[in-house]
Amino acid sequence: MSGIKTINDIISRAEHTHCLEKENIITLLSDEEGDELVFAAADRVGKKYVGNEVHLRGLIEFSNICKQNCLYCGLRRDNRNVKRYRLDPEAIIASAGQANSYGYRTVVLQSGEDDSFDLDTMVYIIHKIKELDMAITLSIGEKPREVYQKYREAGADRYLLRIETTDRELYERLDPGMSWDNRARCLCDLKELGFELGTGCLIGLPGQTIASLADDILFFKKMDADMIGVGPFIANKETPLGKEPNGTFELSTKVMAITRLLLPDINIPATTAMESLNPDGRVLALQRGANVVMPNVTEGEYRQLYQLYPGKICINDTPAHCHSCITGKIHSIGRTVSQGYGYRQKQAVS
Ligand code: 5AD
Ligand code: SF4
Ligand code: FES
């Protein structure tokens, strides 16, 4: 127990200076007594710096084929119990057109690491979607710098690549064959090439410590990431971590809230995994510092096949249903849906 006075002091410092030492982050993460205070402060900072608007990004999960083998993920290459699919470029472009018709100004193209989408194919898709006057976020994994550069030149605006954990040893154990240094290299390249950079981490991975979550938050700050998405680890029985305990909603939103305190003007999604553990998860996350939601626009049976973890929300719903569902939830808490592209508006921190 650190005492509510200490907690209050730390939160007040974070709220006004947007800086915290690692020990203070650990105190906030370890002590549940201060949770509501952290959440309320994150809500205030969010309102002050990014306002009342919520940005919607239409998510297209265009291929569940992945050459990687992350121990936590249902799309890992060794999972034989998933029907694999990939959309063809015209279907992806059509889906982006549909996202546009719902008023989404950004489309997020997400997939496993599927090399059949080679550079020319991706450049073609990016060009076609840019003709719709939409912002494009890519979330398609680790690539060489030259490839990122071509995506950028073709018009891609943002890139999501979670660091997953800053604990290098844990990362390399859970993501066999992958190198933490290469992942960090990707993030630096993306930033230098002028992408808006999105990263984030999993909460509650087996073997992850509170101290390493504090390191994750400090890493986001050091990188000056433009977007941070965090979510609980959810055990998938089709993976080697199937019997491990899940991460928790509370700790996930606390990491998110502290991230809002330290990076006040960035975009922070209320993530799907949060709502998969708590039926009100996205609305609560929006009241704890989040300002973005990524409704799914993937069509038909494909949604069910993009199962990173069990219990994923919206798998039987249509894009139209998700659009009205999420709009209703946002309005129900007195927030509005942004009509803009939702780029980070960098602000002098005061
Ligand atoms: N539980 C929660 N999130 C997961 N992801 C992958 N597998 C799981 C899981 N079992 C997340 C990873 C990845 C993102 C696309 O999905 O953080 O970066
Ligand atoms: Fe592939 Fe990403 Fe899943 Fe790892 S987390 S197996 S890279 S889809
Ligand atoms: Fe998909 Fe609510 S956002 S059902």
Side-chain angles (χ1 to χ4, degrees), residues 112-177:
E113 291 202 5
D114 179 354
D115 287 337
S116 82
F117 286 88
D118 59 16
L119 181 56
D120 288 348
T121 310
M122 286 313 300
V123 165
Y124 170 76
I125 294 167
I126 294 165
H127 278 147
K128 285 297 201 186
I129 295 178
K130 285 311 278 187
E131 287 174 12
L132 301 172
D133 189 24
M134 301 179 87
I136 299 180
T137 304
L138 299 177
S139 177
I140 58 179
E142 297 182 16
K143 311 280 174 194
R145 182 186 173 101
E146 299 68 42
V147 171
Y148 287 147
Q149 183 165 4
K150 298 280 189 228
Y151 295 160
R152 182 85 188 110
E153 285 164 7
D157 303 275
R158 314 189 181 114
Y159 206 100
L160 299 180
L161 186 75
R162 286 184 174 174
I163 193 72
E164 314 291 6
T165 171
T166 49
D167 179 337
R168 170 190 305 261
E169 194 268 328
L170 179 64
Y171 178 87
E172 293 185 356
R173 188 148 38 88
L174 297 183
D175 296 358

Side-chain angles (χ1 to χ4, degrees), residues 282 314 317 321-322 325:
R282 287 177 301 178
C314 308
D317 298 299
H321 178 77
C322 289
C325 168

Side-chain angles (χ1 to χ4, degrees), residues 315-327:
I315 58 170
N316 293 312
D317 298 299
T318 60
H321 178 77
C322 289
H323 174 248
S324 62
C325 168
I326 200 61
T327 308

